Amino acid sequence: MPLVRFTAIRRVTTRDRGRGQSLVEFALILPVFLLIVFGIVDFGLAFDASIGISNAAREGARQGTTRPTAAAISARVRTVAGRLNDSRLTVTVTCKTAAGGACPGGLAGATTGTSVVVRVAYGYPMLTPVAFGTIIPLSSTAEMRVE
C-alpha cells in the first residue's frame, strides 16, 4: 500500500491580513505621533524658560531700584534664573531719565526719579529642531524707577 501524505493547506484569513495592516499603519503613524509629543514637551520647556527670564528681569530691575550697580543686578538676575544655562543668558542693564533719554554717566548716574532697565536674553536649545531651528531666542525687559 502506498503511503499517502496529506499536506495541510493553511488558509489566509482576514484576521491575518488585519495584523499586517495594523503594523503598517502603526509604522506610519508612530513618527508623527512622537514628533507631536516631543513638540509639546519642547513648547512647554520653552514657555517655562520664557517665564523664568521674565521673572529674572523683574527681580533684577527690583534690585536696581535699591542698589543700582550692574554687578549687583546681574548677580540677582543670574541667581533667579539659576535653572537656566548660564552660558546662554545675557543681561543688559541701562539707565533712563524721566524724559526717556540715557542717564548721564550711565548706570552710575541713576538717581531718584530715573529708571533702571534690565533686559535678559536667552537662547533656548530645542529638543526637536524641526520647525524653528535649533535655538529659540527669548528675551524680556523690565523697567523700574529708582527710589
Side-chain angles (χ1 to χ4, degrees):
M1 214 179 216
L3 185 62
V4 179
R5 291 191 175 187
F6 294 100
T7 58
I9 299 173
R10 183 171 179 249
R11 289 188 172 174
V12 178
T13 62
T14 57
R15 192 174 83 189
D16 292 338
R17 283 190 215 139
R19 282 189 199 160
Q21 179 183 356
S22 297
L23 185 62
V24 169
E25 288 174 357
F26 180 73
L28 290 173
I29 295 299
L30 183 66
V32 175
F33 177 72
L34 289 177
L35 188 65
I36 291 171
V37 168
F38 281 112
I40 290 170
V41 170
D42 242 352
F43 177 76
L45 291 173
F47 188 67
D48 180 55
S50 176
I51 291 172
I53 65 167
S54 294
N55 189 33
R58 190 171 38 254
E59 284 292 321
R62 189 166 176 226
Q63 176 74 30
T65 61
T66 57
R67 223 174 10 161
T69 63
I73 294 170
S74 182
R76 180 67 181 160
V77 167
R78 292 183 188 283
T79 300
V80 171
R83 58 184 161 58
L84 299 177
N85 188 348
D86 199 38
S87 65
R88 297 183 182 272
L89 197 66
T90 306
V91 181
T92 307
V93 182
T94 56
C95 178
K96 217 168 38 169
T97 63
C103 292
L107 194 58
T111 59
T112 302
T114 60
S115 296
V116 173
V117 181
V118 178
R119 182 177 187 279
V120 179
Y122 182 70
Y124 172 73
M126 292 186 62
L127 297 174
T128 52
V130 175
F132 302 111
T134 57
I135 294 178
I136 297 176
L138 304 171
S139 67
S140 180
T141 304
E143 178 178 345
M144 291 189 185
R145 283 185 351 150
V146 176
E147 299 297 324

